[in-house]
Amino acid sequence: MELLLATAVVWTFLIGCCAQPVGGILYKVAEEQPPNTLVGSLAADEGLPDSGHLYKLEVGAPYLRVDGKTGDIYTTDVPIDRETLKECRNLFKGDPCLLEFEVSITDLNQNQGPRLIEGRIEILDVNDNTPQFSSPILTLPIPENTHVGALFNIPVASDKDSEENGVADYALTTGPDATSLFSLQVADDQGEKLPQLIVMGNLDREQKDSYDLTIKVVDGGNPPRYSSALLRITIIDTNDNAPKFERLNYEAELSENSPVGHSVLQVKANDSDMGPNGEIEYSLVQGSDTVQRLLRIDRSSGIIYVKGLVDREEVSILKFYVLARDKGPASKSARVAVVINVKDQNDNAPTIEIRGIGLVTHQGGVANISEDMPIGTPVALVQVSDRDEGENAVVTCVVAGDVPFQLRPASEAPNERKRKYFLQTTTLLDYERVKDYRIEIVAVDSGNPALSSTNSLKVQVTDVNDNSPVFSPSSFEVDFAEENQPGDKVLDVVATDADSGTNAELTYSIIVDSATKGLFEINPNTGEVRVRNQLDREHQEHYEFYVAAADKGVPSLRGTATVTVRVLDRNDNDPKFMLNGYSFSVLENMPRHSPVGMVTVIDADKGENARVHVSVEPDNGKFTIQNDTYTILSSISFDREKESTYTFRLKAVDGGDPPRSSYVGVTINVLDENDNAPYVTKPSNSSYKHLDPRTNPETRVERVEAEDIDSGPNAELVFSITGGNPDGLFHISPSDGEITLAKELVRKHNGLHRLVVRVSDKGKPPRHTTALVHIFVNETVSNVTVVESLVGHSLYTPLDTDIAGDPNYSHATHRSNILYGSLAGVAGVILVIVIVVVIRYHLQKEAKSGYQAGKKETKDLYAPKPGPKSGKAKKGKKGKAPKPAKPLEEDEEASLQKSLKFNLINDGVNDSPRIHLPLNYPPGSPDLGRHYRSNSPCPPSSCSPSPRPPPRSTRPCRTSPPPTPSWEQGTTTPPAPTSIRITATRPTPQNTATNSCLIAE
């Protein structure tokens, strides 16, 4: 039986839990359910997705809880006791017990405010209370002589459960002595079970004045509950009339806050009996504890008075019964229902309740909202209620002051007693402008006089990382001296962030690029920039990089600034010449103050530190330097024969403090002009070479050896046979002067052959000399004297006359010698004058057309063009010591004799020493002098060399300029000669021979 009743209760709960009345959600649940019992699912009932929403119980605690993800409503550890719920007190029969709840729903996928769902839960009664009688012993007086079938009301039992589980039936248990006398009848009075005792027989107080019966009360639960009480029946004297109220029921109004003792109404009943049986006493019965606390009734008059403070907001209606009982020995009673409606007065100011909504939580009266929330975001749910009713409960609610917030109704079907509003934003919030607001909400009811109330909420705007760090200024420029120490501070960069908290905590860094990678570092916390290495302005004088400041917000924002570091110069570099040494070559006889070379000097520093002054050391007055162009100027005119090399140092000093300096060596080489003709050292003009006629062709016969004291191309020689070889018997090597037999000799070739050999240098213009090579072709040399005589005659024979083995040559020559000797004396004087004029003319011509150095071979060598060669001639006028080769320094006759001697004095001399003028050049320097260096400053004779010059260390070389015979100037046939015999002495080991030289004019 009990199992069936439990199944029925659960089934009733399952059927009713999802019922939804019109105008809202209604769930049904039985009271006293265990924790975590499912009440209902909002997601399913409201057609919402079961994911992506946040459900929060706003009203309904502590009896309910909501699953935040699914919206399922469950019971909690606090049991729901229908009989103790405040909402279910003072319910009339049939009234449901309703528990209100509110749930907010926030869509996590949409940036929108929450929705509010209101609902009620009908608490279904469970038979958890046993019906009880007011006392364990009930006394029921019954008059004697009561007629059979009379009814007597037995005190009813009470049950806190609902009607279904309330009192359902009564049962009477009698003893053997009362079985025939009493029976029980249960009447139904407007749904209330009234137990009545039925008298089944005649009562006789004198026979028995009391009976003890047992009465049992059973409720309608499943399983049912019951209890029992002792029903003691006392037999009293007859009182057969019961009191009767003048009205069937009473109803009155009572203003709340009525004073104690205020009379509410009077009930009145009449009893037709007489005496005590007609005297009536009034009492309040079946009234709740609230009725007993607030009201009392005068037992005699039936006037109901106010006993306690009446508050309509606590109880709006009082329902109870008044019992009228007579004082007869078997008192009779009657009861009447009384309803007192409590009339409202405007004694309650509106109540403003502010609480969090959705994801916005409140703590300590403070709501936090992010500044990036959109307009219309609710920050609180404001519930305004007034415990009064009617006009006294009509409330107007506003937000006071100028704040960016307003109230918006939260429900489309508002409850008149409880109005709910969303307190939402009206503009975008900006933490950097206003960080918090004090919002005051004012509510005013419509009573007379009106009552009002206020409540406030502090809204703190939480920072969002919506501001990037900003550098001020946006670019930094700093001067920083070079030669710093690693780790020196360069500058401080500072950025600010309008945000707060971690959103304003900055971390500094350097944006690395290839130019400054690893060179600078920054303190990530302070922005202090330091240099990691030593800077060198000469390597780089300008650095530019970016620094960044990143906040610690999520996501992080970053600001950048440009840092420009200008490296200041220090005088840390010596002036530097481009070369380790300089060597310049200049032509002799350049005029004073001519440029002889240019140097390049640089200083890697800057400004005054790089302003370089160059001076000559030692300053002997020979050279100066122009500091604007660093051109070296000569203060002297160069004379190679006097001094061929100059060395000195240049000192470069910068303008730093202290100054720095450096030195470089300079060598000035004086270049010789091609003013020396070659001279033949072997064989001598008076010697001869014996050649056997049987000699094979290509056999070496003789070798002409010559020297040129010039240098370079001026000293490179070319050999050629210009006369005395009509049959082409002999060939000479142009490069080494070796004479070979070109053809086979025949008998007609016997005799003396005289070869005229020209030796030319490669100067510009070239100079040359002429040598005589005698070759005696014969089987033997039987008479040396004859051969020497033939050679002697050859020396006086014109060069254009071929001597090539002619047997008659010696006789013709002998006859002509007389004539030549006669004319020689006459022409001698004339020839001397002509030679002097011609020499001067050639010297001036060569000075104008000679090689002129001055080509700048490198950027650090400068060889200017020389002045006119004629400057040499002016030296004598200024008192300068004449050069050794100047013709006018000697006796004219002696000079002429030397120029006509050919190379007779060199007979028998195999070699002559050369004069070498060493020139030293540093590595890498151009050797301009190497091309123009001469081995001797002495010019040779054009006709014949002078005697071997002594070494340069013993005496100066003095030679006369050679005369230039007409056959040496390119003419092939000389004019008819006017012969002048000049006697010359040639010393030999045996004797001194006298020879003559025929000079053709």
Side-chain angles (χ1 to χ4, degrees):
M1 181 65 178
E2 292 179 355
L3 180 60
L4 293 175
L5 291 175
T7 304
V9 172
V10 174
W11 181 251
T12 303
F13 160 70
L14 294 176
I15 294 176
C17 67
C18 295
Q20 182 173 346
V22 177
I25 297 176
L26 177 63
Y27 294 111
K28 293 183 180 181
V29 64
E31 64 174 333
E32 302 291 349
Q33 292 300 308
N36 299 321
T37 299
L38 178 64
V39 178
S41 177
L42 289 179
D45 298 337
E46 288 296 296
L48 298 174
D50 56 1
S51 62
H53 288 72
L54 178 64
Y55 296 86
K56 180 183 177 186
L57 183 69
E58 308 290 348
V59 173
Y63 303 106
L64 302 174
R65 71 173 182 85
V66 173
D67 189 307
K69 295 182 178 180
T70 63
D72 294 337
I73 303 175
Y74 295 91
T75 60
T76 66
D77 293 332
V78 179
I80 302 175
D81 188 358
R82 180 180 178 276
E83 287 70 36
T84 60
L85 284 177
K86 179 181 177 181
E87 291 82 355
C88 297
R89 297 174 184 172
N90 300 319
L91 293 177
F92 286 99
K93 293 181 178 181
D95 291 344
C97 176
L98 300 176
L99 176 63
E100 294 183 352
F101 70 92
E102 295 177 9
V103 176
S104 64
I105 305 175
T106 302
D107 190 345
L108 299 178
N109 297 324
Q110 300 293 330
N111 192 9
Q112 298 176 353
R115 292 179 51 193
L116 187 65
I117 296 180
E118 299 177 331
R120 295 175 298 167
I121 299 176
E122 182 179 352
I123 307 303
L124 302 178
D125 185 48
V126 174
N127 190 23
D128 56 347
N129 291 280
T130 302
Q132 299 287 341
F133 290 96
S134 60
S135 175
I137 299 175
L138 303 176
T139 301
L140 180 63
I142 298 176
E144 62 179 343
N145 300 324
T146 299
H147 57 83
V148 176
L151 298 177
F152 293 90
N153 292 324
I154 300 173
V156 296
S158 61
D159 194 326
K160 294 181 179 181
D161 294 326
S162 61
E163 292 181 358
E164 292 81 3
N165 295 322
V167 176
D169 199 4
Y170 293 88
L172 186 65
T173 302
T174 63
D177 55 345
T179 302
S180 60
L181 295 178
F182 303 99
S183 178
L184 182 66
Q185 173 183 295
V186 180
D188 189 348
D189 183 10
Q190 299 178 357
E192 183 179 8
K193 302 297 183 179
L194 301 177
Q196 296 176 340
L197 185 65
I198 305 174
V199 178
M200 303 296 293
N202 296 319
L203 299 177
D204 186 357
R205 188 188 67 83
E206 289 74 22
Q207 186 178 9
K208 190 175 178 65
D209 60 356
S210 66
Y211 299 89
D212 289 337
L213 309 177
T214 300
I215 185 169
K216 178 182 178 182
V217 61
V218 179
D219 63 20
N222 185 12
R225 290 175 176 267
Y226 60 90
S227 65
S228 300
L230 176 64
L231 179 61
R232 179 166 290 172
I233 300 173
T234 61
I235 307 300
I236 62 174
D237 195 24
T238 303
N239 182 18
D240 53 356
N241 290 291
K244 185 178 182 182
F245 285 96
E246 294 179 349
R247 298 182 186 178
L248 297 177
N249 55 68
Y250 290 87
E251 187 174 353
E253 286 187 352
L254 174 62
S255 297
E256 63 175 334
N257 302 321
S258 295
V260 177
H262 174 72
S263 61
V264 182
L265 79 151
Q266 183 180 17
V267 296
K268 191 174 183 179
N270 298 315
D271 193 324
S272 58
D273 291 331
M274 301 294 293
N277 293 332
E279 295 179 7
I280 301 175
E281 288 183 341
Y282 300 94
S283 62
L284 300 178
V285 296
Q286 291 188 344
S288 63
D289 294 339
T290 303
V291 174
Q292 298 295 333
R293 179 174 56 83
L294 297 178
L295 302 176
R296 70 177 179 84
I297 191 170
D298 187 276
R299 299 180 66 85
S300 300
S301 62
I303 299 175
I304 299 175
Y305 295 96
V306 175
K307 180 181 179 182
L309 180 60
V310 179
D311 187 359
R312 189 206 64 82
E313 287 70 41
E314 182 180 354
V315 56
S316 60
I317 188 170
L318 297 173
K319 294 181 179 181
F320 54 90
Y321 291 91
V322 174
L323 180 67
R325 185 185 297 275
D326 62 24
K327 297 180 179 181
S331 63
K332 294 184 178 291
S333 63
R335 66 177 184 172
V336 68
V338 179
V339 176
I340 298 176
N341 294 307
V342 181
K343 185 178 180 181
D344 182 56
Q345 289 186 349
N346 193 25
D347 59 344
N348 290 279
T351 300
I352 303 174
E353 181 184 356
I354 302 175
R355 62 177 186 264
I357 181 69
L359 297 177
V360 180
T361 59
H362 293 186
Q363 185 174 4
V366 178
N368 295 313
I369 182 172
S370 176
E371 64 175 326
D372 63 345
M373 297 302 289
I375 297 174
T377 299
V379 297
L381 180 66
V382 179
Q383 177 176 295
V384 180
S385 61
D386 196 317
R387 299 180 64 188
D388 297 323
E389 66 178 0
E391 289 296 323
N392 297 332
V394 177
V395 180
T396 301
C397 187
V398 295
V399 175
D402 185 15
V403 292
F405 296 91
Q406 68 179 8
L407 295 174
R408 178 176 63 85
S411 177
E412 297 179 358
N415 188 332
E416 293 297 333
R417 295 181 62 252
K418 294 181 181 180
R419 294 181 177 270
K420 297 182 179 64
Y421 302 92
F422 286 129
L423 178 63
Q424 63 185 24
T425 59
T426 59
T427 61
L428 292 175
L429 304 180
D430 187 356
Y431 170 84
E432 288 70 37
R433 187 172 62 87
V434 180
K435 293 180 173 56
D436 56 69
Y437 297 90
R438 173 63 65 177
I439 303 172
E440 186 173 352
I441 300 174
V442 179
V444 182
D445 62 23
S446 300
N448 189 13
L451 299 178
S452 64
S453 61
T454 61
N455 198 355
S456 64
L457 173 68
K458 183 178 181 181
V459 176
Q460 288 185 342
V461 182
T462 59
D463 184 45
V464 173
N465 195 24
D466 57 348
N467 289 277
S468 299
V470 176
F471 285 93
S472 181
S474 60
S475 61
F476 298 86
E477 295 185 0
V478 63
D479 294 332
F480 189 75
E482 64 175 340
E483 290 192 333
N484 58 286
Q485 293 298 322
D488 283 353
K489 177 180 175 181
V490 180
L491 78 160
D492 290 307
V493 295
V494 179
T496 57
D497 195 313
D499 296 322
S500 65
T502 57
N503 295 334
E505 294 179 9
L506 303 182
T507 300
Y508 297 92
S509 62
I510 292 178
I511 301 177
V512 179
D513 59 11
S514 58
T516 60
K517 183 177 181 181
L519 191 56
F520 297 93
E521 63 182 2
I522 189 170
N523 188 308
N525 299 320
T526 64
E528 182 182 69
V529 179
R530 293 183 179 272
V531 62
R532 300 178 64 180
N533 299 321
Q534 190 177 71
L535 300 184
D536 186 1
R537 188 204 63 79
E538 289 71 38
H539 172 69
Q540 186 169 344
E541 63 179 352
H542 176 271
Y543 294 93
E544 183 173 295
F545 56 90
Y546 292 94
V547 293
D551 58 31
K552 295 182 180 178
V554 178
S556 176
L557 298 179
R558 188 176 75 166
T560 60
T562 304
V563 175
T564 301
V565 179
R566 293 187 295 267
V567 183
L568 299 181
D569 185 57
R570 287 182 177 175
N571 194 24
D572 57 343
N573 290 276
D574 294 332
K576 182 180 180 181
F577 290 93
M578 290 298 293
L579 298 178
N580 295 329
Y582 289 89
S583 178
F584 302 107
S585 296
V586 297
L587 293 174
E588 58 182 334
N589 301 319
M590 286 178 56
R592 288 185 176 89
H593 307 298
S594 296
V596 298
M598 178 183 289
V599 299
T600 301
V601 59
I602 59 174
D603 194 313
D605 294 321
K606 189 177 182 181
E608 287 298 322
N609 296 334
R611 196 179 303 278
V612 180
H613 178 79
V614 181
S615 59
V616 177
E617 289 189 357
D619 187 6
N620 53 15
K622 294 182 179 181
F623 298 95
T624 60
I625 189 166
Q626 292 179 341
N627 269 282
D628 53 348
T629 62
Y630 302 126
T631 301
I632 302 174
L633 304 177
S634 66
S635 299
I636 59 174
S637 178
F638 298 105
D639 187 349
R640 177 182 175 277
E641 284 71 29
K642 184 177 181 180
E643 189 170 359
S644 61
T645 302
Y646 299 86
T647 59
F648 54 89
R649 290 195 312 173
L650 295 180
K651 179 181 181 180
V653 181
D654 62 25
D657 185 19
R660 302 174 74 99
S661 61
S662 63
Y663 296 86
V664 71
V666 178
T667 300
I668 305 295
N669 298 309
V670 183
L671 300 180
D672 186 39
E673 296 180 352
N674 190 25
D675 54 356
N676 293 282
Y679 65 91
V680 178
T681 60
K682 183 181 179 182
S684 65
N685 291 338
S686 61
S687 64
Y688 69 92
K689 183 74 174 181
H690 172 254
L691 181 64
D692 193 301
R694 293 166 293 184
T695 303
N696 295 325
E698 303 299 328
T699 300
R700 179 180 181 277
V701 178
E702 183 63 283
R703 180 177 180 179
V704 178
E705 298 180 5
E707 291 185 358
D708 194 319
I709 60 176
D710 292 328
S711 62
N714 296 334
E716 295 180 11
L717 303 181
V718 178
F719 299 86
S720 62
I721 299 175
T722 59
N725 191 23
D727 297 329
L729 295 177
F730 302 97
H731 171 74
I732 190 168
S733 173
S735 59
D736 58 9
E738 184 174 281
I739 300 174
T740 57
L741 182 63
K743 295 181 179 180
E744 185 178 353
L745 297 175
V746 296
R747 184 165 185 80
K748 69 174 183 176
H749 296 146
N750 288 351
L752 182 65
H753 295 261
R754 184 186 66 179
L755 301 180
V756 180
V757 178
R758 170 178 286 191
V759 183
S760 300
D761 61 26
K762 294 183 180 181
K764 293 182 179 180
R767 291 181 177 271
H768 66 274
T769 188
T770 302
L772 300 181
V773 178
H774 294 88
I775 301 173
F776 182 69
V777 179
N778 199 21
E779 287 80 357
T780 61
V781 182
S782 59
N783 192 344
V784 176
T785 304
V786 175
V787 176
E788 290 181 348
S789 177
L790 293 175
V791 173
H793 289 300
S794 170
L795 298 178
Y796 296 97
T797 301
L799 298 180
D800 58 345
T801 301
D802 289 332
I803 300 176
D806 186 359
N808 298 320
Y809 166 73
S810 58
H811 302 285
T813 302
H814 180 72
R815 289 192 298 268
S816 62
N817 285 341
I818 299 175
L819 177 62
Y820 293 155
S822 302
L823 296 176
V826 178
V829 176
I830 299 173
L831 182 60
V832 169
I833 297 173
V834 172
I835 290 173
V836 171
V837 173
V838 171
I839 290 174
R840 282 186 174 274
Y841 171 77
H842 277 283
L843 288 176
Q844 293 177 355
K845 183 177 180 181
E846 290 176 357
K848 292 181 181 181
S849 61
Y851 173 76
Q852 303 207 358
K855 180 180 180 183
K856 184 178 179 183
E857 293 196 2
T858 68
K859 63 178 180 180
D860 295 304
L861 299 177
Y862 178 77
K865 294 182 179 180
K869 187 69 177 181
S870 59
K872 260 186 168 183
K874 298 179 182 179
K875 293 180 182 178
K877 298 178 181 180
K878 294 184 179 180
K880 181 181 177 182
K883 295 177 64 175
K886 297 297 182 279
L888 298 180
E889 299 296 324
E890 301 178 355
D891 180 73
E892 291 186 359
E893 181 178 358
S895 176
L896 182 62
Q897 289 291 338
K898 287 182 180 180
S899 65
L900 297 177
K901 280 183 179 180
F902 287 72
N903 56 358
L904 297 177
I905 62 173
N906 293 325
D907 185 24
V909 180
N910 295 328
D911 194 8
S912 62
R914 298 187 62 182
I915 300 175
H916 296 279
L917 301 180
L919 295 177
N920 297 325
Y921 299 89
S925 299
D927 189 4
L928 298 181
R930 187 171 298 167
H931 296 289
Y932 307 106
R933 180 174 61 228
S934 64
N935 291 327
S936 173
C938 303
S941 170
S942 298
C943 179
S944 64
S946 62
R948 173 178 294 186
R952 193 178 184 92
S953 61
T954 58
R955 66 176 180 85
C957 177
R958 296 178 177 270
T959 59
S960 299
T964 306
S966 60
W967 63 82
E968 293 184 0
Q969 301 299 322
T971 58
T972 58
T973 304
T978 301
S979 300
I980 300 176
R981 183 177 301 275
I982 298 176
T983 302
T985 302
R986 177 174 63 86
T988 63
Q990 294 82 10
N991 57 6
T992 301
T994 301
N995 297 290
S996 298
C997 180
L998 181 63
I999 305 299
E1001 294 181 322

